[in-house]
Amino acid sequence: MYPVYMMESSAKSSSSNQKNFISLPACKKSTLEQQYNHQEIPKQTLFEKPLTPSDVGRLNRLVIPKQHAKKYFSLNGCREKGLLLCFEDELGKYWRFRFSYWNSSQSYVLTKGWSHFVKEKRLDAGDIVIFERHRVEGSRLFIGWRRRNIYGGAVQESYVAQPAAVASGGSDEWRHSGYPYPVHSQGSSLPYQPDCFHDQFYRAKVHQMGTPRR
Amino acid sequence: MYPVYMMESSAKSSSSNQKNFISLPACKKSTLEQQYNHQEIPKQTLFEKPLTPSDVGRLNRLVIPKQHAKKYFSLNGCREKGLLLCFEDELGKYWRFRFSYWNSSQSYVLTKGWSHFVKEKRLDAGDIVIFERHRVEGSRLFIGWRRRNIYGGAVQESYVAQPAAVASGGSDEWRHSGYPYPVHSQGSSLPYQPDCFHDQFYRAKVHQMGTPRR
DNA sequence: ACCACGACCTGGTGG
DNA sequence: TCCACCAGGTCGTGG
């Protein structure tokens, strides 16, 4: 595993600093939160990205917004070959992704391994992946995800929801990298997939994945 | 066969310095032939190709008929990566295209850069591109084009034969290319685009494509 | 033959 | 207006 160098001063304050991994609102189904002690790991969010259709499609790659890539996943010296990043998911499972830079498009991407993650988590356009880091052991990376908001802020499913008290301090994270993707009718045949970061995102701002961009 | 590959640094040449910007007598038939000394370059035609819809479409590539590709654009040894071909257009502007062989379709293609040429020249299906070479400096390549024959051979002939009616036609073609084209049409609203090779191709064979203009 | 992956390319767009 | 970014493509290779 390749270490990701912690940038001393990069841990800018944000709402994620106050992450609550201790106790959850009593009214919520607590079983899922408690079944993995992984939830108790002190993490800080590095960035999130709402997935584009391409991110979950046949291109088998995830574009990492340049600003975040540069800030958190330095390729220092390895631009040519890329490097392997190792992440832990919400189950404690390890995921290794090839992280590299594409000269042609001037963009940073996760390639090898990414498609497996998409498949296993059943990620879809509009769903959000969350990149985190251990607060103490800075080289420990985590990858999380949550479903897109299906009905918009108002009708959010109660389980994931109750974000009602959304702190609207909204990072421009959303606006920067957030694109409204078509909410292709989430068939009822799909088993419900819980938010793997509900501990953190009970407070999460609700993002409206509204109308198609194209 | 002449070597035709030019790498990045070799593209600098002289002819563009000598562009003739003297004011032109308006509406003279001969003006177009005289306004670029580029027209006086001794060239020989290698081949022409009427453009297919795909050649000007989103595929961003031009298929080079195999016999011509083999004959004039040898990839000797560079089949893997292709090579960069550098052409001069009728304005002395340089165009670089990636030339390569696609195993999947067993065909030779111009890829990178081609779409820009199509756009700037506003080429459409049925228009013809002309590949030429300097008669003396055999490695100097030229690329030209002419509009497709809209109404059939007879009309085409006389139409081209009257470039006096040339108008800027609202096209930003000339401005974009940096050429201060001063001639405006008096009444015709038809955006006529001159044949860039009329000096040579007055006698060129007319190819009728069935595809309607966009 | 297919598919994941590596590398490359381009147009649209927003700042 | 220009340009960086990135979504959405291409082809080729190797398994």
Side-chain angles (χ1 to χ4, degrees), chain B residues 19 32 64 76 97 128 137 143 155 166 182 185 192:
Chain B
K19 236 172 181 168
L32 277 170
I64 307 280
N76 50 320
F97 305 123
I128 290 136
E137 307 160 60
I143 186 169
V155 181
V166 159
S185 76
Y192 172 71

Side-chain angles (χ1 to χ4, degrees), chain B residues 101-104:
Chain B
Y101 181 74
W102 282 353
N103 290 303
S104 52

